[in-house]
């Protein structure tokens, strides 16, 4: 048994596909298959139940998986400690993030990290299913760390540190009868942060939007989950008319009269012909968190990145 065989085994176990495991490891499928067969021969057991349609872990494979991960992590830590002592911090960091996230300037953050630790390879990824996909990738070892926004009940299996919290607001076409609630806005500084929040500004309740058509992001994105849950709680499930993959495009569809929106007040500048109205009567907020896998000790490189993220952000309010 060697570390490469274990690495290939873990990749197949997480992907449940020899083809996807080979793509993930930048090699060919025959190499992965040969390594797994050699490992099975060495252990005198079958690690995967294979068929023409699916690959599944056998009972022996299930038993080996956590031990294989622990062994690879121990080897990585040992290698990193020696390399750091001789040439500086080395390693690989796979980080997942949400698209167009302004609460954390990822380009600036990772640029600073690269200047401080030039020997660490950083790989950045997003997920087509938003925070839900990023959380699953961290749980299954496809990512080392992720910036995501999910309700607390959906963060199981993760070690999470909250970075920032922002309120939800309603976006309405300027011609909408409820858009008049935007009058009388007074901006005041939020406590201890320097951000501005509207005080004395008339708002609306979620119940007032019942029956409206909505513009939102696809299922799987944390903000969509939170708003769906809030409307379900008041017994008024909503109708999604338009689904778009980026928060910044939602005002365009609202302006066109295709629906209203309830979204985190993250990156939404004042938009012409779109009214932004506070939400009253609910503690509806969106929290950005940094997550790693629970029960798995982060590598030195990941720990260094987490420290830098902590130094680069502060709560919204």
């Amino acid at each position: 048994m060697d570390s490469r065989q274990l690495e290939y085994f873990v990749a197949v176990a997480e992907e449940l596909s020899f083809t996807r495991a080979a793509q993930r490891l930048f090699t060919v499928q025959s190499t992965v298959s040969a390594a797994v067969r050699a490992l099975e021969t060495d252990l005198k057991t079958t690690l995967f139940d294979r068929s023409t349609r699916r690959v599944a872990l056998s009972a022996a494979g299930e038993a080996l998986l956590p031990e294989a991960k622990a062994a690879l992590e121990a080897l990585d830590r040992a290698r990193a400690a020696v390399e750091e002592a001789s040439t500086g911090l080395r390693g690989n960091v796979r980080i997942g993030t949400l698209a167009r996230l302004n609460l954390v300037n990822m380009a600036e953050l990772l640029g600073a990290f690269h200047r401080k630790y030039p020997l660490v390879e950083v790989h950045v990824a997003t997920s087509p299913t938003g925070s839900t996909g990023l959380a699953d990738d961290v749980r299954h070892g496809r990512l080392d760390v992720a910036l995501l926004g999910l309700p607390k009940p959906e963060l199981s299996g993760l070690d999470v540190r909250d970075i920032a919290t922002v309120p939800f607001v309603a976006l309405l076409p300027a011609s909408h009868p409820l858009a008049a609630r935007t009058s009388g806005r007074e901006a005041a500084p939020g406590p201890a942060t320097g951000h501005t929040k509207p005080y004395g500004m008339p708002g609306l309740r979620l119940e007032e939007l019942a029956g409206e058509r909505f513009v939102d992001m696809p299922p799987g994105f944390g903000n969509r989950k939170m708003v769906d849950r809030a409307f379900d709680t008041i017994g008024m499930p909503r109708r999604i008319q338009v689904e778009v993959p980026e928060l910044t495009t939602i005002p365009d569809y609202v302006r066109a009269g295709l629906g209203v929106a309830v979204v985190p007040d993250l990156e939404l500048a004042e938009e012409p012909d779109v009214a932004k109205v506070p939400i009253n009567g609910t503690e509806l907020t969106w929290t950005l968190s940094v997550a790693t896998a629970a029960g798995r000790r982060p590598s030195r490189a990941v720990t260094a990145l987490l420290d830098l993220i902590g130094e680069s952000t502060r709560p919204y309010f």
Side-chain angles (χ1 to χ4, degrees):
M1 179 188 311
D2 61 38
S3 61
R4 182 53 59 90
Q5 291 173 342
L6 292 178
E7 183 180 2
Y8 287 171
F9 162 73
V10 169
V12 176
E14 291 177 344
E15 301 292 342
L16 294 179
S17 166
F18 283 83
T19 300
R20 290 195 298 271
Q23 293 170 346
R24 168 173 153 181
L25 297 168
F26 303 101
T27 187
V28 296
Q29 181 176 334
S30 59
T31 300
V32 176
S33 298
V36 171
R37 283 197 301 271
L39 182 58
E40 290 176 322
T41 299
D42 184 37
L43 295 175
K44 298 180 176 61
T45 190
T46 299
L47 299 173
F48 295 99
D49 296 325
R50 304 166 175 85
S51 72
T52 56
R53 293 186 177 181
R54 62 190 294 268
V55 174
L57 278 167
S58 67
E62 293 277 6
L64 177 60
L65 183 57
E67 303 299 334
K69 287 182 176 180
L72 290 172
E73 289 165 7
L75 286 172
D76 285 343
R77 288 196 300 270
R79 186 179 296 110
V82 173
E83 290 174 342
E84 185 177 355
S86 58
T87 62
L89 183 64
R90 291 178 178 265
N92 293 276
V93 176
R94 299 164 298 169
I95 181 169
T97 186
L98 300 167
R100 301 177 66 88
L101 182 64
N102 283 356
L103 285 177
V104 177
N105 187 326
M106 287 300 295
E108 183 177 303
L109 173 71
L110 296 179
F113 183 79
H114 175 69
R115 289 189 294 273
K116 190 171 184 179
Y117 305 107
L119 300 179
V120 176
E121 293 287 338
V122 177
H123 306 270
V124 184
T126 58
S127 172
T129 53
S131 292
T132 299
L134 294 173
D136 285 342
D137 286 341
V138 172
R139 291 188 188 101
H140 291 93
R142 293 185 288 267
L143 291 173
D144 300 306
V145 59
L147 296 173
L148 47 79
L150 282 174
K152 294 298 182 185
E154 300 191 22
L155 295 172
S156 62
L158 301 173
D159 286 334
V160 174
R161 184 175 70 212
D162 293 343
I163 293 177
T165 299
V166 297
F168 278 77
V169 294
L171 300 183
L172 310 169
S175 59
H176 195 286
L178 294 175
R181 304 287 181 89
T182 59
S183 61
R185 177 170 181 162
E186 299 176 5
T193 68
H195 290 278
T196 59
K197 297 193 296 181
Y199 283 85
M201 178 178 173
L204 56 81
R205 298 175 65 87
L206 292 180
E207 289 86 347
E208 296 179 81
L209 297 174
E212 296 279 354
R213 297 171 300 172
F214 279 83
V215 182
D216 210 327
M217 301 178 77
F221 285 79
N223 53 296
R224 164 74 181 268
K225 285 176 172 286
M226 293 176 191
V227 179
D228 283 345
R229 184 172 296 174
F231 276 92
D232 288 342
T233 298
I234 63 174
M236 297 179 174
R238 59 194 182 130
R239 177 163 56 110
I240 307 298
Q241 181 82 5
V242 179
E243 291 182 349
V244 293
E246 288 193 6
L247 180 66
T248 52
T249 63
I250 288 179
D252 297 333
Y253 291 88
V254 173
R255 184 184 301 110
L258 294 174
V260 303
V262 176
V263 294
D265 194 5
L266 284 171
E267 316 169 325
L268 303 171
E270 297 299 328
E271 296 277 353
D273 301 320
V274 176
K276 185 195 303 185
V277 186
I279 304 293
N280 294 335
T282 180
E283 295 296 325
L284 190 56
T285 58
W286 183 87
T287 299
L288 176 68
S289 305
V290 58
T292 56
R296 188 182 306 166
R297 180 179 173 183
S299 68
R300 290 170 180 260
V302 171
T303 300
L305 179 59
L306 292 173
D307 290 343
L308 191 59
I309 291 174
E311 295 168 4
S312 304
T313 58
R314 61 179 179 175
Y316 184 86
F317 63 86

